[in-house]
Amino acid sequence: MTASSPSRFVVRAGRVFDGTAFVPAAVVVENGLVVAMLDEDAAVADAAEVRVAADAVLLPGLVDSHVHVNEPGRTEWEGFGSATRAAAAGGVTTIVDMPLNSIPPTTTAGALEVKRAAAAASAHVDVGFWGGAVPENLGELGPLHEAGVYGFKCFLAPSGVDEFGHLDRAQLRQAMGEIAALGSRLIVHAEDPELLGADGALGRGYDAFLASRPATSEASAIDAVIEAARATGGRAHILHLSDARSLPAIRAARADGVDLTVETCPHYLTIIAEEIPDGASEFKCCPPIREASNRDLLWEGIVDGTIDAIVSDHSPSTVDLKRAGDGDFGLAWGGISGLQVGLSAVWTEARERGIPLETILPLFTTGPAVVAGLAVGRIAVGAPAHLAVFAPDDVVRVDARELRHRNPISAYDGRVLTGRVRRTWLRGEVVFEAGVDVADAVDAAGVPGGRLLSRGGTLAAVGEDAS
């Protein structure tokens, strides 16, 4: 992808994350694969040398299984070029794209091919795709599954876009049964529309918005997902959990044998409702950011292993849409832009709580990989050389104008974070280096190196059919 990376090199570091702990090691890379894991100072013949600084660690490339790229159709919100640049800058080497808010939504095999064609020209990291389960395609999900999506997303409340409708309780059960028969998984935006406030203006105060999307709505919808999974034997995944008081129900369901996983997001772990200023609609998302006491309980779910993954739910839009209604939380578009800063944000909070980096790293790597059914997220012999150098003590003030997201608005703007990605490799090629515009150089060469991923582990080079 770039001329900067030799075909054979060794990365030596005093702290390499092996999936559970940091160990000193030399990671040997050849032709894009990890071919050996040796003692840190072991001799390696015919290999270029890369030494990770003593104040940094070597990580597997992160995995983000919840990203809204929005291309095609709403590319002015975000596109594959900008989203994957931001991912690389955050140490993320694999993303899985959500089936909305692009047009067309990924609810048919034909729409998936449109999405793949859009990604093929500009992906700087690897990209997989979720399919969508909507009222119109129930009973006809097989072709989309066979085309290679990693599972199916549904909403239980209105999605915010007319072309991606939500499922009622009977349709949820139908979708779960159909998807179970395919051997796939259903991932669910869990809010109960019967318990949500009416759409429309709410004013500039965050409290009114928070009250309009109460925790009871999330809890009710999660209960419905659990019962549908229990009845059908299907695999279910709860998206972007904000209501920590639903964790006991999730634990109980798992104890009963329900095949259930759950994710949360950096904004729920790092931002609290009490601190959101009036009119600051960049903080609007659904389900909403809740109170400090709720955040504490989410962190308990991180530490005790109930929560399986931390993912961005990167859901950007234009500045005009985010500022619609002059900061009225009921009128502004919902969604947090945070793909580039997730690890740094969560590590900043974890560090303040005395939680070691090793505790959160699996939730950024193997956790979301397992949710999506991807064989990535580890540094291991035979694995693709997706690697990131992370400096856990570096201090960075976020400036939304400098993030690689397409639109310069983010809930993290102005926040001081601890931890910074210094370099990211994708299959042994440098796709991000702090202070160096690697992505621009790649664009100029016309050879972005991300691959399109397909269920079953098939990889296709950008521009090839991945089905």
Side-chain angles (χ1 to χ4, degrees):
M1 196 168 74
T2 74
S4 61
S5 302
S7 62
R8 178 175 167 84
F9 63 97
V10 57
V11 185
R12 302 184 189 275
R15 290 179 289 170
V16 177
F17 188 64
D18 70 355
T20 57
F22 286 109
V23 298
V27 180
V28 184
V29 175
E30 187 169 357
N31 296 325
L33 297 176
V34 176
V35 296
M37 292 276 290
L38 307 173
D39 292 339
E40 181 182 2
D41 296 319
V44 180
D46 302 320
E49 295 273 340
V50 178
R51 170 66 68 172
V52 174
D55 66 343
V57 298
L58 185 67
L59 308 179
L62 310 184
V63 181
D64 193 333
S65 56
H66 194 150
V67 179
H68 294 265
V69 176
N70 306 327
E71 184 179 9
R74 293 189 174 97
T75 309
E76 70 275 14
W77 295 15
E78 190 71 279
F80 284 101
S82 52
T84 56
R85 286 184 181 196
V92 177
T93 52
T94 306
I95 66 170
V96 189
D97 176 61
M98 284 291 162
L100 73 164
N101 297 302
S102 56
I103 301 173
T106 315
T107 54
T108 66
L112 175 63
E113 290 310 309
V114 172
K115 181 69 73 79
R116 283 176 169 155
S122 57
H124 296 278
V125 303
D126 287 356
V127 181
F129 302 92
W130 296 108
V134 295
E136 294 80 7
N137 70 355
L138 295 186
E140 301 175 352
L141 298 177
L144 191 50
H145 173 71
E146 291 304 317
V149 297
Y150 285 93
F152 296 86
K153 178 178 184 175
C154 73
F155 277 73
L156 301 187
S159 71
V161 292
D162 292 340
E163 66 273 6
F164 200 97
H166 67 285
L167 305 183
D168 62 25
R169 298 296 175 94
Q171 291 166 333
L172 169 66
R173 182 75 63 92
Q174 179 185 349
M176 191 82 77
E178 182 179 358
I179 291 165
L182 292 171
S184 188
R185 58 181 63 74
L186 184 65
I187 65 174
V188 185
H189 180 122
E191 290 182 288
D192 184 339
E194 298 298 320
L195 298 174
L196 298 178
D199 292 336
L202 291 169
R204 290 169 52 85
Y206 186 75
D207 288 350
F209 171 67
L210 182 59
S212 76
R213 304 190 88 93
T216 53
S217 171
E218 221 174 329
S220 173
I222 289 170
D223 286 345
V225 174
I226 290 170
E227 289 311 307
R230 191 193 311 275
T232 62
R235 287 186 289 171
H237 176 71
I238 303 299
L239 296 165
H240 44 46
L241 179 75
S242 79
D243 171 32
R245 290 169 180 81
S246 290
L247 288 170
I250 291 168
R251 294 184 186 106
R254 286 174 170 171
D256 285 346
V258 176
D259 196 339
L260 183 67
T261 52
V262 60
E263 70 186 36
T264 193
C265 305
H267 40 279
Y268 300 130
L269 295 169
T270 64
I271 304 171
I272 55 174
E274 293 92 332
E275 295 176 351
I276 296 177
D278 289 352
S281 50
E282 63 267 30
F283 292 92
K284 178 182 178 180
C285 59
C286 301
I289 295 166
R290 304 193 188 278
E291 303 86 351
S293 59
N294 181 80
R295 180 178 65 174
D296 291 341
L297 293 174
L298 284 176
W299 273 102
E300 289 182 14
I302 295 292
V303 173
D304 71 16
T306 303
I307 295 173
D308 300 281
I310 301 172
V311 294
S312 67
D313 186 14
H314 180 67
S315 187
S317 69
T318 62
V319 174
D320 287 346
L321 283 171
K322 286 300 292 180
R323 296 295 189 204
D326 190 29
D328 186 305
F329 279 95
L331 300 177
W333 181 260
I336 302 290
S337 293
L339 177 56
Q340 184 172 332
V341 299
L343 176 59
S344 297
V346 174
W347 167 233
T348 301
E349 183 70 25
R351 183 173 179 154
E352 291 180 359
R353 292 171 178 266
I355 297 170
L357 185 57
E358 299 94 316
T359 298
I360 65 170
L361 284 176
L363 285 85
F364 284 94
T365 53
T366 50
V370 168
V371 166
L374 291 159
V376 290
R378 298 182 185 274
I379 302 175
V381 174
H386 301 339
L387 307 168
V389 175
F390 183 69
D393 299 322
D394 282 4
V395 177
V396 178
R397 180 181 292 274
V398 178
D399 184 337
R401 297 167 299 181
E402 296 178 355
L403 296 175
R404 297 181 177 221
H405 311 151
R406 173 150 291 172
N407 288 283
I409 185 168
S410 174
Y412 299 99
D413 187 36
R415 293 177 76 89
V416 177
L417 304 180
T418 304
R420 178 173 66 112
V421 173
R422 292 181 180 172
R423 181 183 290 184
T424 306
W425 289 271
L426 181 77
R427 276 180 297 280
E429 297 287 352
V430 176
V431 289
F432 171 77
E433 187 157 6
V436 178
D437 214 336
V438 174
D440 279 349
V442 172
D443 283 345
V447 283
R451 291 184 177 180
L452 306 185
L453 306 182
S454 183
R455 177 184 51 81
T458 302
L459 293 179
V462 166
E464 294 180 2
D465 183 1
S467 59

